[in-house]
Amino acid sequence: LMKWGIDIFQVDKLTNGNPLLFVGWAILASPYSQDAMIKTLRDANQNGGGSDTDIKNMQGYHFIDKYEISQVCMVDFLRATESNYEKENPYHNSIHASDVLQTTHALLTGMNGKRFATSDLELFSVLVGAAIHDVGHPGTNNNFQTNTYSETALIYNDNHVLENYHVSLAFRQILGKDGNPTLNIFKKMRQNDFMKCKKLITEVVLGTDMTQHFQKLNIVKNLPMENE
């Protein structure tokens, strides 16, 4: 998953239409997810007597330990998030979300993009943001929402309409009136860290508004090279 160019459609087939659940678990729960896969393969090969892996020394984000997230909670959060993606949407579906999450992971790890992060909280926020960035997408764009005076456009006053909706839906499934607190992967975070995380996730998702694309692209192009 650290490599560029993973065939995400093949991942979708291999996971029986649950690519976000698998890719999200493999990345966000690493290295516990890798350890579980190693043990499963060992048992399948009837070689269960091998030595246990040392989780602390395995490569991965270690978010499970840092933020005291139970693996069951992480899996349930990803499963619920995936279920909120519209399967009938031909593009903005959970396959696309998985692709964006895996690409973000490849940029951070395989291409060492995480050297630009100032904290583990930033890395966690960026990756969660990638997972939820299009959740509930109806298949129409912001202009359509605004021009048809949709309920969503009216709620968000024509401002980053769908992007605001995606973030709101992701947090409402946990914290809203009808939310499920057992999905709360942020539960054990200190309040200050959670507020920072929520703000960062919101910024990540709002930043996917394509009206800002070329402005952000120019900023990246004008960044000084490492050897300058």
Side-chain angles (χ1 to χ4, degrees):
L1 290 175
M2 290 171 61
K3 295 180 179 179
W4 190 267
I6 293 287
D7 185 346
I8 202 66
F9 294 103
Q10 185 64 17
V11 174
D12 179 52
K13 289 179 182 177
L14 291 171
T15 58
N16 295 316
N18 297 288
L20 186 59
L21 175 60
F22 175 78
V23 173
W25 173 70
I27 292 172
L28 290 167
S30 66
Y32 283 91
S33 44
Q34 284 70 36
D35 182 55
M37 285 185 262
I38 290 169
K39 288 176 179 175
T40 300
L41 288 171
R42 188 184 294 157
D43 291 343
N45 293 325
Q46 297 182 338
N47 188 24
S51 59
D52 289 337
T53 358
D54 184 359
I55 288 282
K56 291 182 180 178
N57 291 322
M58 287 181 70
Q59 284 189 334
Y61 291 107
H62 293 271
F63 296 139
I64 294 293
D65 292 323
K66 289 168 184 170
Y67 304 118
E68 299 180 59
I69 307 167
S70 81
Q71 294 184 67
V72 171
C73 179
M74 177 64 78
V75 167
D76 287 347
F77 167 78
L78 290 165
R79 185 180 285 112
T81 299
E82 184 151 49
S83 72
N84 280 324
Y85 274 91
E86 299 290 341
K87 285 190 178 291
E88 301 306 314
N89 190 321
Y91 181 74
H92 296 98
N93 49 43
S94 69
I95 301 173
H96 168 65
S98 307
D99 189 29
V100 171
L101 175 57
Q102 187 276 321
T103 301
T104 303
H105 170 62
L107 287 168
L108 291 174
T109 53
M111 300 182 185
N112 202 25
K114 62 181 176 182
R115 71 186 186 276
F116 297 110
T118 60
S119 67
D120 290 324
L121 194 67
E122 279 191 3
L123 294 173
F124 182 67
S125 303
V126 166
L127 290 166
V128 173
I132 61 105
H133 83 281
D134 270 334
V135 66
H137 200 295
T140 55
N141 62 19
N142 283 338
N143 283 339
F144 178 88
Q145 298 290 323
T146 299
N147 292 333
T148 57
Y149 309 109
S150 73
E151 190 70 19
T152 310
L154 293 173
I155 289 172
Y156 297 112
N157 298 312
D158 304 332
N159 185 34
H160 305 302
V161 177
L162 290 175
E163 292 74 25
N164 272 308
Y165 171 70
H166 302 320
V167 181
S168 174
L169 177 58
F171 281 106
R172 277 187 286 124
Q173 75 175 356
I174 299 171
L175 304 171
K177 182 178 66 174
D178 299 317
N180 184 350
T182 66
L183 308 176
N184 191 355
I185 58 174
F186 314 99
K187 183 178 180 179
K188 295 293 184 68
M189 276 188 181
R190 292 178 298 181
Q191 180 67 13
N192 188 46
D193 283 344
F194 172 64
M195 295 309 294
K196 285 180 183 176
C197 184
K198 186 171 182 293
K199 183 174 184 291
L200 285 166
I201 291 171
T202 302
E203 289 175 356
V204 165
V205 179
L206 295 190
T208 65
D209 188 337
M210 287 302 293
T211 59
Q212 300 181 5
H213 176 72
F214 292 105
Q215 178 188 356
K216 291 183 181 296
L217 186 61
N218 286 331
I219 291 172
V220 173
K221 284 181 176 178
N222 291 321
L223 287 173
M225 299 296 288
E226 198 166 359
N227 59 356
E228 289 182 358

